Each structure stands twice: as structure tokens, then as C-alpha cells.
Amino acid sequence: MDQLERLRAVGRLEQYSTARHHIKFYLNVSVVATYTLPDTFNPPVKDYVYKACEVLIGQHPILSAVPVGEDTKEPYFARLPQIDLEKSISFQDRAHVVPEGDESDAELEALVNVQHNETFAPLLPFWRLCVLNDTIHGRRFTAAFVYHHAIGDGTSGKAFHKAFLQALHDTGPSLSSGEVKQLVTPPQVPLLPSAEEALPPAVSIPFLVTTLFKENIWSWTDPGLWTGSEVIVPLETQMRHIVFSEFTTSSLKDCCRQKNTTITAALQTSIARALFAHIPDSFTSVQCSGAMSIRRWLDQDIITDDSMGVWVQDYDETYYRDKVAGASFPWDEAQRSRQTIEKVLSLKGKNAGPNLLQYVSDIHQLFLSKVGKPRKSTFEVSNVGVLASKSGQDATKPQIGRMVFSQSASVTGNAIEVSAITGTDGCLVLSFSWQTHVVDVNLMSAVMESVRTELICICSE
């Protein structure tokens, strides 16, 4: 590892993930997409996947970078001199046919569950591509891009698939076996800047003083707050997902617009309602942690939504049983949630949680010190939005359809991680991740069913 080309220091926000990965408190992110190649694309699917990955490695330097010294206080990124695609890309045939437009995919779910419980090893890329081949529709395959959170945020997974689709387009039907490489040499291109380099972490004195006071002097926790179990180890992730039809997704978007709110705000409210419906009445509040991209405030000549890296922050919202529980959906609470998001957006990254990492001397110890203590947040909602495809329904071009975004559970983070994405098939997909023994699987099944039922119902009102 010491002989690899040194790139730059791992940023503080990136260290948040290198530390968690090293102590196995959080392992990876996954963004999945289903592709269909035209009949004119005759070479094997494997050839097209290899060629596309070669193109992407050339475009995104972070794909050939690995963090060195995850166990230290000063990790850095180094470049792999060569990437053997055979070691980072796997292929398996589906055992069962999944009808196009079907709202369940147990085989994909099983694959992603396995991947969310696998770490990354030095001297191999800190990403994997797991391909499920459709044996009935030979030109269709589902690709799960699984990656270390220090090399990419949720939007990065979407950017990967957007670039992957473009690489398939550009390769075209004339691909020959001689063009396909198993060993890829990355270009000598510098990494994009870390979040702290791209947007210096601004913290106001009142915000800093208030945070330090709450952490070190008066750390009060609402006794009515439900957050699953206390912080426990070891980590074992469980993931399940819900698919909403194109009609329901479109109707939900229209309904939220009419009610002066957003899908993200409505999702947060619906999940809170679902939890209150299935946890004991003694719990009167739940805490939501939202994820928000900071790319909108960065230099667009350097970092865009098509870039791969970690440029994200969080925000908090609390829901109370007496405000959201009831027979009808509380649109006023969804509107309040939208206002919270807009208020955070107005700060343009100032006083964000990650900005405080500059004051943490030992991030590993920060995590380890929380084991056995009460968890502070109930659930996260991370919505990376919609992937738009330029090819539309042109059957002569490669197509991308259903997408699924999910995360590893987090030992010290939220009891439940909810990740949302909408593919070009127009279907909103929600993935729910949780840690075994932190949240009961029967509770999760009930919560997911409540969310599914409610979102369908409010679209038909």
C-alpha cells in the first residue's frame, strides 16, 4: 500500500466513512439499475459491462482511488496502478423471471443484502458491480453498483449509472472482443476536492456553543423519543424495498405540488405516522435525519450532479404523535417539513452537522464511545430524486429502467435508513435498511406496509 501513488488527504466528511468502515459500523452504499440492450448489440453482456466500466474508470478518478490508513487519524487516498475487472465485477444468472414492471424482486433484494454486509479489501477497488443476467430476456440485466461511502454519496451512485448508460450508447453494436479489456490502467488525473475544500465548513459561534453545551453539559433526551435499541454491535444489515407504480409516483408528485409540499417531506411524515401506528403509545416523538446534497453551492465548473465524490450534509426534523397520528394525512406537517428543508437550504451549508467534524480529534473514538448508549435519531430519509434518460423509448438504443438505492445500516446512526430513488420507468422505490436486533423485523414489515398503503391512498383522494 505504501508504494501506491499518493493523491490527497481523506477529507473530514470522508473520514466519517473510512472510520466507520474500519470498525465495521457502516459498510457501503448501493445503487441498482436495470438495463436493456437492443437486439443489434450482439456481443455478450459481459463485454459491454467491461467496456462501460473501463470508460467510467477513465472519467471518474475516484473509482481507482482507495483510502489508505483507515485505522489512523490521517488517512489518504492512493491510486491503484491497475484494476482487474474480473475481481470487481461478478455475474450470475437469475433463477427466476421478473416480469417487466413487476413490483417485487426478491432475488435482487437477496443479492443486495449480501453486499451490504461485505467490507472492502485493500489493493482492490472500493467498489463492486454485481450483475444479474435475465436468462429469458438475454439482452436485459440488472447491475448493482456497491461502493464505499468515502468514494461516493447517494447522488454519485446515480451519476455512475447515468455515465454507464452513456458508455453503452457510445460503444454501440459494433463492439469487438478485441476492444474489451480485463485489466484497466487508470489515468493520472487528480481527485476532485473534498467537501471541506469545495465548501469551507462555516460554523457560527451561537451554533457551536449550543452544540457543545448539549453534548458536554446538558445532554437531555426526550423520554418519549423512540429510536429502536441502544447502540449495539455487531453490525448486520437487513434491507427490504417497496416499488410504487408509475401512476402512483406521478400522482404523488402532483398531489404534493397541489398541497404545497414535496415528495421528500411527505415521505418523512408518512414514515413517522407509520412508526407511531406500530410502536407503544408511551412513545410520543420520533426524530428524522434528512440527507441533502451540497453540490448546488459548489463551483459547477468542477463539481456537478454528474461528479462522483462525497458532498452531502444532514438536517433534523422531529415529529410528535399528537401532531401526525390520526385518520387523515396531516398535510400541514408535510408543509412544515418542507419549510424546514427550505430553511436549511437558505443557509447554503452553514451550521451543517458535518461542519463540526473539524473539531473532532478522534473520529474512531467518537463512534466507539457511543456503544451501549441511547440512540439519538429514529430514521433517515435520503432521496436522490429522478434519473432522466435522453434515449426515451428509442428501442435502437440501450435503455435504463427500474432503480433501487439502499444503504448499509449504521451502528451509531438512525435505527432505520430509508433511501429513495425514481428510475426512468417512473417508479419510486423506497429501500428500508436496519440493523438486526435494533429494530424487530415484524415491526419493519408493518411499518413498510403502512407507508405503502398510505402513499397509494393519498394519491387517490
Side-chain angles (χ1 to χ4, degrees):
M1 295 291 286
D2 293 341
Q3 297 176 356
L4 298 180
E5 177 192 356
R6 188 168 181 148
L7 297 172
R8 65 162 172 80
V10 173
R12 295 299 280 176
L13 179 56
E14 293 161 343
Q15 281 188 48
Y16 195 80
S17 289
T18 57
R20 289 190 298 174
H21 179 262
H22 174 69
I23 59 178
K24 296 181 174 60
F25 275 23
Y26 180 104
L27 300 185
N28 54 49
V29 186
S30 169
V31 179
V32 180
T34 294
Y35 294 88
T36 304
L37 299 179
D39 292 337
T40 54
F41 281 50
N42 292 316
V45 164
K46 180 177 179 179
D47 288 359
Y48 281 102
V49 170
Y50 271 39
K51 183 62 179 178
C53 285
E54 178 195 348
V55 171
L56 266 63
I57 290 168
Q59 293 174 343
H60 297 284
I62 196 67
L63 291 176
S64 55
V66 294
V68 178
E70 281 196 324
D71 58 332
T72 72
K73 291 185 180 181
E74 297 182 352
Y76 63 91
F77 283 111
R79 189 177 347 259
L80 295 171
Q82 199 170 53
I83 294 177
D84 185 344
L85 295 181
E86 188 174 15
K87 294 179 179 178
S88 294
I89 305 174
S90 61
F91 296 85
Q92 67 183 73
D93 291 339
R94 282 188 177 274
H96 306 285
V97 177
V98 178
E100 193 168 3
D102 196 54
E103 295 188 1
S104 64
D105 191 342
E107 203 165 352
L108 172 64
E109 211 168 70
L111 181 148
V112 173
N113 268 288
V114 169
Q115 292 300 317
H116 276 321
N117 288 290
E118 294 287 337
T119 59
F120 295 95
L123 294 181
L124 287 176
F126 272 43
W127 58 268
R128 301 185 286 269
L129 193 68
C130 307
V131 179
L132 281 174
N133 285 314
D134 190 324
T135 55
I136 302 299
H137 305 281
R139 302 283 84 192
R140 186 188 302 163
F141 63 94
T142 299
F145 176 54
V146 183
Y147 54 102
H148 192 301
H149 207 347
I151 72 166
D153 50 23
T155 301
S156 297
K158 193 170 72 168
F160 175 93
H161 283 290
K162 184 177 179 181
F164 192 91
L165 177 66
Q166 186 61 51
L168 294 175
H169 283 176
D170 295 342
T171 300
S174 59
L175 178 68
S176 68
S177 58
E179 296 179 64
V180 180
K181 298 178 183 177
Q182 177 183 323
L183 299 177
V184 178
T185 301
Q188 302 295 302
V189 178
L191 294 184
L192 293 173
S194 66
E196 298 80 17
E197 293 171 319
L199 186 69
V203 176
S204 68
I205 296 300
F207 176 74
L208 180 59
V209 170
T210 300
T211 302
L212 291 173
F213 180 78
K214 289 180 179 179
E215 286 292 322
N216 300 311
I217 300 175
W218 192 59
S219 183
W220 180 82
T221 301
D222 180 356
L225 175 66
W226 184 88
T227 57
S229 81
E230 71 279 3
V231 175
I232 60 173
V233 291
L235 171 63
E236 180 186 39
T237 295
Q238 298 188 52
M239 187 281 278
R240 303 288 183 274
H241 71 293
I242 311 171
V243 179
F244 294 94
S245 69
E246 182 180 9
F247 173 80
T248 297
T249 303
S250 178
S251 298
L252 179 62
K253 179 181 177 181
D254 292 342
C255 190
C256 288
R257 184 181 291 118
Q258 293 168 7
K259 298 292 186 179
N260 196 30
T261 188
T262 63
I263 287 180
T264 300
L267 288 176
Q268 293 179 187
T269 307
S270 180
I271 294 163
R273 278 169 57 80
L275 283 164
F276 283 130
H278 299 290
I279 61 177
D281 291 344
S282 57
F283 292 105
T284 56
S285 67
V286 291
Q287 178 86 6
C288 171
S289 175
M292 176 184 292
S293 174
I294 66 170
R295 296 169 190 238
R296 70 199 81 203
W297 304 308
L298 307 183
D299 185 341
Q300 296 298 296
D301 291 332
I302 300 175
I303 297 168
T304 70
D305 281 350
D306 294 332
S307 305
M308 292 191 65
V310 184
W311 305 286
V312 69
Q313 70 165 75
D314 58 356
Y315 63 90
D316 295 323
E317 185 69 279
T318 304
Y319 296 92
Y320 295 95
R321 184 183 290 273
D322 61 353
K323 296 290 187 180
V324 301
S328 59
F329 187 80
W331 286 107
D332 57 336
E333 283 292 292
Q335 291 161 2
R336 180 179 68 85
S337 298
R338 178 188 182 178
Q339 291 167 2
T340 296
I341 295 170
E342 289 177 343
K343 182 178 179 180
V344 173
L345 286 171
S346 71
L347 295 175
K348 298 182 178 180
K350 184 177 181 180
N351 291 345
N355 297 358
L356 297 171
L357 290 172
Q358 60 186 310
Y359 304 109
V360 179
S361 61
D362 190 332
I363 296 181
H364 297 84
Q365 188 55 39
L366 172 69
F367 292 125
L368 292 169
S369 66
K370 296 181 179 182
V371 176
K373 295 180 180 178
R375 196 176 304 275
K376 292 190 174 182
S377 189
T378 310
F379 67 97
E380 173 187 310
V381 173
S382 180
N383 183 3
V384 296
V386 182
L387 180 75
S389 170
K390 295 179 181 178
S391 61
Q393 300 301 314
D394 187 345
T396 66
K397 296 181 179 180
Q399 300 290 316
I400 187 171
R402 176 73 46 80
M403 299 189 74
V404 182
F405 164 40
S406 61
Q407 303 183 59
S408 156
S410 176
V411 168
T412 60
N414 301 275
I416 303 165
E417 307 277 353
V418 184
S419 307
I421 191 169
T422 304
T424 60
D425 63 347
C427 296
L428 169 66
V429 178
L430 300 184
S431 297
F432 292 72
S433 302
W434 67 95
Q435 184 182 350
T436 302
H437 303 308
V438 168
V439 186
D440 181 76
V441 65
N442 294 323
L443 171 61
M444 286 307 308
S445 296
V447 167
M448 290 176 64
E449 180 58 26
S450 291
V451 171
R452 188 190 70 81
T453 301
E454 177 158 77
L455 293 183
I456 292 173
C457 286
I458 63 177
C459 290
S460 59
E461 291 178 353

